[in-house]
Amino acid sequence: MEKASSTVCAMTVITICAVLLVGVLLRREFFGDAEVGIAPGAPEYVEGWEDMLGEKLTVASSAGTAQVFAFLGFQCPYCPDFHENTLWALEEEFGDALKVTFLHLPLDIHPFADAAAIAAGCTAEQGQFRQFADASFAMQDSIGVQDWIALANDAGIPDVTIHTECMHLVPDALT
């Protein structure tokens, strides 16, 4: 008798779960995302983004007809994926028609992001921004631990002395 009672209880629980699951699936199928308030992919305009263009770094073709503004921080956990899998794929696809403008967006929660942006600007003066960015994102967990000279060497910067002098021109860049 006790076994029959536990079987009935288990079957009741399974039936209730099945009914709830079917209800959720039917709701999703017939009412879609509109029921939960998700907007259908409308672009969102961000006021004042043009104000950030004062401190930009243009790489790739500066005469390109298509322009990408890449807001990045070298300690941003999402930026390496964009950098490696999206940005340079666009450059390969569009070639000289693409103008890439980097806008450094170091966040306060990333303690070495400002110095990394300065280091990137110093490498750009030698035409090595991409190499520095590739190395920085590949070794992102070493930013702030490894010194900037070692990172510049890893990136293949031709004249590390010029890079170091450039870093010293900016207050607090080496801290």
Side-chain angles (χ1 to χ4, degrees), residues 146-159:
Q146 182 180 24
D147 77 11
W148 299 110
I149 294 171
L151 188 55
N153 280 325
D154 290 343
I157 306 306
D159 193 334

Side-chain angles (χ1 to χ4, degrees), residues 20-110:
L20 287 174
L21 180 63
V22 168
V24 167
L25 292 174
L26 287 173
R27 180 172 182 238
R28 185 182 73 189
E29 189 67 32
F30 291 109
F31 298 106
D33 291 338
E35 189 71 19
V36 291
I38 297 174
E44 182 179 331
Y45 182 77
V46 177
E47 292 287 335
W49 71 269
E50 297 94 342
D51 297 339
M52 298 183 74
L53 295 179
E55 305 221 5
K56 65 182 183 262
L57 173 65
T58 301
V59 297
S61 173
S62 61
T65 54
Q67 186 164 8
V68 172
F69 290 98
F71 294 84
L72 70 102
F74 285 103
Q75 287 190 290
C76 162
Y78 305 103
C79 291
D81 182 57
F82 173 77
H83 176 80
E84 295 165 13
N85 299 318
T86 304
L87 188 60
W88 300 129
L90 287 171
E91 184 186 41
E92 285 179 21
E93 183 175 338
F94 293 100
D96 288 339
L98 185 67
K99 177 180 181 178
V100 180
T101 301
F102 287 95
L103 299 143
H104 294 290
L105 190 63
L107 301 177
D108 293 339
I109 60 172
H110 300 136

